[in-house]
Amino acid sequence: MHIKSEAAERHTLAVIVDNEPGILARIAGLFTARGYNIESLTVSEITVDKAVSRITIVTSASKPMLEQIVAQLDRLVPVHKVRDLTAEGAHVERELALVKVRGVGDHRIEALRLADVYRARVVDATTSSFVFEVTGGIEKIDKFVELMGEVGLIEVARTGVVAIARGKDAA
């Protein structure tokens, strides 16, 4: 007997929810209880009255598993809408990272050169280090961090992915 397992694919979900205490814990708990992994999670209020929030979740799952995740999220009472931006097609994803790098001598010059190539901004500088702000897709951030590792990476802080569908329709 052969069991065919489908490959996990990366998906970005946009979940619109009532901004109430415990909703984030309930959503994270839903993933944890079923053994699903959350690769990235961002939350922000999206209405002027702060009554509604948008949760952007990046996860890897097979098609049947993803359908189950979306269905279970949809069943939660404070959830208004769940969209799989990846499945829907064209969308924009961005992430922000703060990257602290040692910067002395030739390493200082190389760090600044790489930052220029990746359009990273210097947001703090001392005589021995820099903090760069870099935004872009996950691959860009990963590559920038990898290259800074060769120059003298000290620390990285990342926001997680934010995403929005292209076109005129809202989530």
Side-chain angles (χ1 to χ4, degrees):
M1 178 172 160
H2 293 281
I3 299 174
K4 184 180 176 185
S5 63
E6 292 188 40
E9 294 180 354
R10 182 181 169 278
H11 285 265
T12 302
L13 305 176
V15 185
I16 307 302
V17 300
D18 287 333
N19 188 11
E20 62 181 45
I23 184 58
L24 184 57
R26 288 178 62 196
I27 288 174
L30 182 146
F31 277 76
T32 302
R34 288 155 183 84
Y36 305 145
N37 187 40
I38 295 175
E39 295 174 14
S40 173
L41 178 79
T42 59
V43 183
S44 182
E45 297 165 339
I46 60 170
T47 57
V48 177
D49 64 0
K50 301 181 183 202
V52 177
S53 290
R54 178 189 186 101
I55 300 173
T56 305
I57 301 169
V58 177
T59 189
S60 289
S62 63
K63 186 175 180 174
M65 187 185 295
L66 189 71
E67 289 171 358
Q68 186 178 24
I69 290 169
V70 170
Q72 290 169 349
L73 286 170
D74 254 338
R75 279 193 282 256
L76 293 176
V77 172
V79 172
H80 293 270
K81 188 187 296 186
V82 180
R83 290 182 65 184
D84 179 358
L85 297 175
T86 305
E88 290 179 16
H91 65 282
V92 177
E93 289 187 7
R94 289 293 179 264
E95 184 174 6
L96 177 136
L98 297 175
V99 181
K100 188 186 298 184
V101 179
R102 281 181 202 81
V104 180
D106 289 341
H107 289 289
R108 188 173 186 84
I109 294 165
E110 184 63 10
L112 287 169
R113 188 189 69 73
L114 287 169
D116 187 48
V117 169
Y118 280 82
R119 294 191 176 124
R121 286 187 332 123
V122 176
V123 293
D124 184 58
T126 68
T127 57
S128 61
S129 69
F130 292 105
V131 175
F132 296 105
E133 174 189 285
V134 60
T135 60
I138 292 172
E139 296 81 17
K140 176 185 176 182
I141 305 280
D142 287 345
K143 190 64 177 174
F144 183 72
V145 169
E146 177 187 326
L147 290 171
M148 287 300 174
E150 297 174 21
V151 178
L153 182 68
I154 298 170
E155 184 177 8
V156 178
R158 295 174 76 153
T159 60
V161 173
V162 293
I164 196 164
R166 292 185 183 217
K168 61 181 174 52
D169 297 329

